[in-house]
Amino acid sequence: MARITLDGMRHSYSPTPSGDDDYALKRLDLEWSDGGAYALLGPSGCGKSTLLNVISGLLRPSEGRILFDDEDITGLPPDRRNIAQVFQFPVIYDTMTVRENLEFPLRNRGLPSNVARQRAIEIAELLELSDILDQRAAGLTADGKQKISLGRGLVREDVAAILFDEPLTVIDPHLKWQLRSKLKELHQRVQRTMIYVTHDQTEALTFADRVVVMNDGNVVQIGTPSELFEAPHHTFVGYFIGSPGMNVMPCDVRGGQAFFAGDPIETTNANLVKEGATGLELGIRPEFVSFAEKGLEVRVVRVRDAGRSQVIDTERAGTIIRLLLLEGVEVPAETARIAFDSKRTRVYADGWLVE
């Protein structure tokens, strides 16, 4: 296991980067605890896989250092970093049996045959591969092959970290839930450092103890799933996490009071906004907006059934404000008034939470 530190790290695919826009990864200073379960979450192209490949040694960063337990491993190749990596698509040997595939990483490191065999059996049971241990991998479905690939990443007990690069992409939706649970269970048992890359918020929030949210090569927030939901530090985090995402509305602040479309809105932090600040917005999640007798006057424009809840789109001054209400709650036909939970309503400046 290892504590992983990124010290002043940046990476560009251009040999002569001239500005921030040329960097796939902007400056990163991060430390991930030994034995933690982390997720790198963000949209396609935000730098997640680049960061994972820098940690694994498949890429050398343009600037900065990578340390495992205070040892600088920036210049070491992947085979000397003592990590396991599971890729988006299966990496296995089709001509080998399932058992041979699982044993191979251990035999390759000189472990005795009986140790490799026992460990392969344990991992096969965890991933429900026991019934096909002696079947050749070539005849398996994409789901089955990726389960073997997961097993090859998990079978070693001596690794500093296990890196997962969107490993459930090819997995059947029903199996995804099962495998996420298995990976979480395994982490709790072995307490190995695990980093899981995904663009799926459900995968990230159910697997990780702490989630690293990325956008455009930057880390915009690191936190527990509840911290990211309850107190987004950036409007991107509020929008990207949650279904539907956080409401973001243009506002102005005068004398410590926030205003939207001319109406005063109570918030937790408007008093911290500096005079003359620009790019101001209000952020509040749909879960914390409700219909009320007194409040902001809006027009109801759409009602969607989301199973146990309803998503209601209302409009004021050209801005859509969404509510998330339990199924069966009466929804006004056209005009209505809504209220915001003031303890959950925050002001953001240029996307960042005002603190």
Side-chain angles (χ1 to χ4, degrees), residues 64-97:
R65 302 184 305 157
I66 307 155
L67 299 96
F68 283 9
D69 290 333
D70 297 326
E71 178 187 353
D72 188 345
I73 52 90
T74 310
L76 292 184
D79 61 332
R80 293 183 58 195
R81 296 193 181 195
N82 198 28
I83 52 94
Q85 187 162 2
V86 180
F87 295 93
Q88 185 173 2
F89 297 102
V91 179
I92 60 172
Y93 295 103
D94 278 344
T95 56
M96 291 184 179
T97 65

Side-chain angles (χ1 to χ4, degrees), residues 24 26 37 70 74 123 138 141 147 223 237 244 246 260 283-284 296 322 334 349 352-353:
K26 311 301 191 287
D70 297 326
T74 310
I123 292 299
T141 63
K147 286 170 78 173
V237 178
M246 184 173 74
F260 167 64
I284 182 169
L296 197 67
R322 291 190 172 90
E334 295 182 9
W352 293 97
L353 178 67

Side-chain angles (χ1 to χ4, degrees), residues 231-235 246 251 253 256 258 267-275 277-283 345-355:
H233 286 186
H234 194 279
T235 52
M246 184 173 74
C251 75
V253 175
T267 71
T268 63
N269 63 336
N271 62 311
L272 301 177
V273 176
K274 295 179 180 178
E275 287 296 327
T278 58
L280 299 178
E281 296 169 306
L282 291 172
T345 309
R346 300 175 176 88
V347 180
Y348 294 79
D350 295 325
W352 293 97
L353 178 67
V354 175
E355 296 184 281

Side-chain angles (χ1 to χ4, degrees), residues 247-254 256-267 270 280-284 289 295-299 314-323 336-340 345-347:
N247 291 303
V248 179
M249 303 162 282
C251 75
D252 61 288
V253 175
R254 302 188 298 273
Q257 173 68 62
F259 294 86
F260 167 64
D263 286 301
I265 304 294
E266 295 302 317
T267 71
L280 299 178
E281 296 169 306
L282 291 172
I284 182 169
V289 185
L296 197 67
E297 187 172 329
V298 296
R299 182 172 60 91
T314 67
E315 184 269 337
R316 171 68 182 266
T319 299
I320 296 295
I321 305 169
R322 291 190 172 90
L323 296 75
R337 290 187 179 275
I338 59 174
F340 301 154
T345 309
R346 300 175 176 88
V347 180

